[in-house]
Amino acid sequence: MQKLYSKEIVAARKAALTEAIVALKARGVTPKLAAVVCSSDPAALSYVAVKRKHAEEVGAAFEGVDLSHAGSYADIAAHMRDLCARQDIHGVIVVMSSKPAFDEIDVTNLIPASKDADGLSVGNLGALLQNGPHQRFIAPATPRACIAMAETQGPLAGKTVAVIGRGRTVGKPLANMLVNAGATVTICHSATPDIPKFSRAADIVFVATGRPHFFGRDYFADGQLVVDAGVGFIDGKLAGDVDAAALEGLDIRLTAVPGGVGPLTSVLILENLLSLIAHAEAAHRL
């Protein structure tokens, strides 16, 4: 088994971001990302800390907004409206707990598509599904990271792919993005009988369920590329969905957790931030 890390691609993309942000600042524009935190979970706070670190490393501004003690959805909505109306903030992301007190979809959809740095609002996901040649939309960052990791091993067009997981943030948009890239896609989920039948037959397997170390040797076969986008914890340590130790001895390329999809996702959120600025400037010129 070969583990794949995103260190090199992350470094290259951060260098490009740094250069682009220097150019923006020379024009008087300092890109700023706001993270709205609707959770006091340590995992959520760690997620925000990583985003802040990456933003500051490339010269972007970052603001954390703590709404973990908001008493109602109306309180969150009022804060979100004020935040998204600010001219100094170019992109917003929402960080929820694994068991949010408010509907995550409703909270995310408070972000207008023009400031949705994670690409998960209804406007951006709808545009992704339509995939029109002249549409400007922000693709979800984690699926983008999954695809970028897979493409380091070769093109996706013509490949057979299994996506395990149908979540709104990864599985569903990822499947659509893979179809757009020319792959033949099968989506597997909790109601799929005999998932290994489908996953073992694929050239590439993407796993995103949030069930740490659930997927072992029976799900995979020699010669496959496996992209693990799962996020969970075992004994306080970050763990992916794939039980990497169970795959030893197989001829498989597996993205590492940590060190694979996660760090690249943070960088791609910042790329999305710059795309939002470019889209806004283009709309202003029309």
Side-chain angles (χ1 to χ4, degrees), residues 103-119:
D103 192 300
E104 183 176 0
I105 295 176
D106 287 344
V107 174
T108 302
N109 284 337
L110 292 168
I111 306 172
S114 60
K115 292 200 174 181
D116 174 21
D118 225 349

Side-chain angles (χ1 to χ4, degrees), residues 44-78:
L45 299 178
S46 174
Y47 179 89
V48 173
V50 170
K51 300 297 176 287
R52 180 186 295 277
K53 174 177 177 290
H54 282 286
E56 292 176 348
E57 285 175 347
V58 299
F62 184 93
E63 181 175 335
V65 181
D66 183 7
L67 297 185
S68 60
H69 301 296
S72 67
Y73 173 78
D75 290 341
I76 291 179

Side-chain angles (χ1 to χ4, degrees), residues 153-174:
Q153 305 300 299
L156 295 172
K159 293 290 195 283
T160 57
V161 174
V163 176
I164 304 178
R166 55 179 169 178
R168 184 184 67 91
T169 60
V170 184
K172 285 181 180 178
L174 174 60

Side-chain angles (χ1 to χ4, degrees), residues 228-286:
D228 188 351
V231 177
F233 290 88
I234 296 178
D235 297 329
K237 295 182 178 180
L238 183 65
D241 287 348
V242 178
D243 184 357
L247 273 56
E248 290 293 346
L250 289 178
D251 178 21
I252 279 179
R253 292 159 292 162
L254 170 68
T255 60
V257 179
V261 170
L264 186 52
T265 296
S266 296
V267 174
L268 295 185
I269 286 176
L270 295 169
E271 286 189 5
N272 284 350
L273 178 69
L274 266 58
S275 293
L276 289 169
I277 293 172
H279 292 176
E281 290 181 342
H284 182 72
R285 289 193 296 268
L286 293 177

Side-chain angles (χ1 to χ4, degrees), residues 128-212:
L128 168 63
L129 184 61
Q130 289 182 329
N131 194 38
H134 305 298
Q135 286 181 306
R136 294 191 182 99
F137 64 89
I138 299 300
T142 301
R144 279 191 66 201
C146 290
I147 287 176
M149 288 297 294
E151 287 180 333
T152 64
Q153 305 300 299
L156 295 172
K159 293 290 195 283
T160 57
V161 174
V163 176
I164 304 178
R166 55 179 169 178
R168 184 184 67 91
T169 60
V170 184
K172 285 181 180 178
L174 174 60
N176 280 284
M177 292 165 70
L178 289 165
V179 170
N180 293 343
T184 300
V185 182
T186 299
I187 305 175
C188 303
H189 45 76
S190 58
T192 302
D194 195 9
I195 291 176
K197 171 186 173 182
F198 299 100
S199 61
R200 289 174 59 86
D203 297 318
I204 307 172
V205 183
F206 294 85
V207 190
T209 68
R211 304 176 75 180

